[in-house]
């Protein structure tokens, strides 16, 4: 096997694992869009908010410490203890559920029946509001997130370990963990959607709000549930991306990577989010490997959007999306 083929195999594997991380973010968009028809622009900021909250809780940081100190002239920053990672994750999930309730109670409940563009603009406002709250709560400095996931080292695969063709290449440990966690999360979401009472209610709301109301399904409860699940997905994505590149405000931009994934897979399909993420991940890595040197590199910044544009022209509903037919 030539060195080029070995390197291409490594590129494909790393692309698959990068695609899983893209799909994690896209899942949050799909869940909210399916249940309410809202394209949640704030999903990336929710991942940032969850990651910053997790770091703050783990470090025993006092929320809004900068604001408290400025108003009262105090000098508090920390409670004086650290919180174990597992407990901090549980507490952060509680915060995300509280956030889901607040979003439904104070924002979305008042916009029922509005045009989709109004709902979309509301999520843009929510995104900037959450970003500001996160800054006030935990500060704007770059934070290190370590919940015990393997990171930093690479796995050498050769004939002495996994025996793949007798050749060696490197895969990031964190990417392997992220792939496993994402696969389990997707399986859990599909099982929840298909086999639980709440999951079936979510699907009913997604199909027809009025019909769901007529059989006694509470839209408020379902929407809080959906935003809570999306918050959990954002927390998992925030942990993975935050561990990989640090918790910083650029973390919210991962939502932009989810857009081409949604266009490929379809806005209403959970499997589509996964397949779309894998296609984008592998495609951008292979394109950079094969074509990048010919055009000066940096193709990963625009490849996904070009591919998404092609799909919009020839298959607007995506690979797994539902084709909408309007009769007039």
């Amino acid at each position: 096997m030539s060195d080029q083929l070995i390197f291409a195999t490594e590129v494909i594997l790393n692309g698959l694992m990068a695609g899983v991380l893209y799909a994690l973010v896209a899942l949050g968009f799909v869940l909210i869009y399916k249940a309410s028809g809202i394209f949640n622009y704030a999903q990336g900021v929710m991942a940032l908010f969850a990651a910053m909250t997790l770091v703050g809780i783990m470090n025993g940081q006092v929320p809004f410490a900068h604001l408290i100190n400025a108003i009262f002239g105090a000098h508090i920053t920390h409670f004086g203890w650290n919180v174990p990672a597992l407990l901090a994750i549980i507490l952060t999930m509680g915060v995300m559920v509280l956030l889901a309730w607040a979003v439904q109670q104070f924002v979305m409940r008042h916009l029922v029946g509005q045009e989709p563009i109004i709902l979309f603009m509301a999520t843009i406002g929510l995104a900037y509001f959450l970003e500001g709250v996160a800054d006030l709560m935990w500060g704007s400095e770059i934070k290190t997130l370590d919940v015990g996931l393997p990171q930093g080292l690479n796995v050498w695969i050769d004939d002495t370990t996994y025996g793949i063709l007798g050749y060696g290449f490197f895969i990031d440990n964190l990417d392997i963990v992220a792939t496993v966690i994402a696969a389990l999360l997707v399986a859990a979401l599909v099982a929840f959607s298909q086999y639980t009472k709440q999951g079936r209610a979510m699907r009913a709301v997604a199909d027809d709000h009025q019909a769901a109301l007529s059989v006694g399904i509470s839209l408020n409860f379902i929407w809080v549930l959906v935003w809570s699940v999306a918050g959990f997905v954002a927390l998992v994505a925030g942990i993975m991306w935050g561990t990989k590149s640090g918790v910083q405000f650029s973390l919210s931009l991962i939502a932009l990577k989810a857009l081409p994934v949604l266009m490929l897979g379809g806005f209403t399909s959970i499997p589509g989010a996964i397949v779309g993420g894998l296609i984008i991940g592998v495609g951008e890595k292979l394109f950079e490997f094969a074509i990048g040197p010919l055009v000066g590199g940096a193709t990963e910044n625009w490849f996904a959007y070009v591919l998404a544009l092609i799909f919009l022209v020839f298959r607007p509903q995506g690979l797994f999306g539902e084709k909408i037919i309007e009769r007039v």
Side-chain angles (χ1 to χ4, degrees):
M1 183 184 290
S2 67
D3 291 340
Q4 285 288 89
L5 185 54
I6 295 172
F7 188 50
T9 305
E10 181 181 333
V11 168
I12 292 173
L13 288 174
N14 280 286
L16 286 171
M17 294 179 182
V20 168
L21 294 178
Y22 297 155
L24 270 177
V25 183
L27 278 174
F29 285 96
V30 170
L31 289 169
I32 292 178
Y33 190 83
K34 276 177 67 69
S36 60
I38 299 172
F39 180 79
N40 180 26
Y41 182 84
Q43 186 66 29
V45 181
M46 287 171 64
L48 168 69
F49 181 81
M52 293 185 71
T53 301
L54 177 58
V55 173
I57 292 175
M58 287 179 63
N59 294 336
Q61 187 176 344
V62 177
F64 301 105
H66 296 290
L67 186 61
I68 294 172
N69 293 338
I71 294 175
F72 299 102
H75 299 283
I76 60 173
T77 56
H78 293 78
F79 289 110
W81 62 77
N82 293 333
V83 178
L86 181 58
L87 178 58
I89 290 173
I90 294 173
L91 292 174
T92 303
M93 190 57 231
V95 173
M96 298 307 290
V97 172
L98 183 62
L99 173 64
W101 175 84
V103 168
Q104 172 59 25
Q105 186 71 19
F106 299 112
V107 181
M108 296 306 168
R109 185 167 66 92
H110 302 284
L111 298 176
V112 174
Q114 295 292 330
E115 293 293 325
I117 186 62
I118 301 297
L119 299 173
F120 175 64
M121 294 300 293
T123 65
I124 293 178
L126 177 64
Y128 284 103
F129 174 76
L130 274 181
E131 196 167 302
V133 170
D135 189 5
L136 284 174
M137 285 183 71
W138 310 114
S140 58
E141 65 275 4
I142 298 175
K143 301 170 177 62
T144 301
L145 177 58
D146 183 7
V147 296
L149 297 178
Q151 55 181 307
L153 298 177
N154 293 317
V155 178
W156 174 257
I157 302 178
D158 61 10
D159 55 357
T160 64
T161 52
Y162 297 97
I164 299 182
L165 303 179
Y167 294 91
F169 41 86
F170 292 95
I171 302 175
D172 193 304
N173 275 335
L174 181 60
D175 288 341
I176 296 175
V177 174
T179 301
V180 173
I181 291 176
L184 293 175
L185 180 61
V186 171
L189 287 173
V190 171
F192 176 77
S193 176
Q194 296 290 333
Y195 302 113
T196 68
K197 180 180 179 180
Q198 292 77 13
R200 289 191 292 269
M202 283 172 51
R203 288 160 52 204
V205 170
D207 290 337
D208 192 319
H209 291 177
Q210 295 301 322
L213 277 173
S214 68
V215 296
I217 296 175
S218 170
L219 292 185
N220 285 333
F221 171 76
I222 292 301
W223 284 336
V224 170
L225 177 63
V226 168
W227 279 82
S228 298
V229 175
F232 175 68
V233 173
L235 172 59
V236 175
I239 291 174
M240 298 305 166
W241 282 94
T243 302
K244 193 178 184 71
S245 57
V247 179
Q248 51 191 314
F249 279 85
S250 61
L251 182 64
S252 63
L253 299 179
I254 60 175
L256 299 179
K257 272 292 188 181
L259 294 180
V261 173
L262 294 168
M263 293 174 188
L264 263 67
F267 281 81
T268 59
S269 173
I270 291 176
I274 303 304
V275 174
L278 296 178
I279 291 175
I280 292 294
V282 173
E284 68 180 14
K285 298 292 185 185
L286 277 179
F287 195 83
E288 176 70 25
F289 168 69
I291 308 298
L294 303 178
V295 295
T299 61
E300 290 186 34
N301 295 330
W302 52 263
F303 169 82
Y305 298 96
V306 172
L307 185 60
L309 179 60
I310 294 173
F311 265 77
L312 284 176
V313 172
F314 294 102
R315 190 174 174 84
Q317 72 271 27
L319 292 173
F320 295 88
E322 300 172 355
K323 189 172 184 178
I324 299 175
I325 300 176
E326 294 186 359
R327 292 179 173 86
V328 294

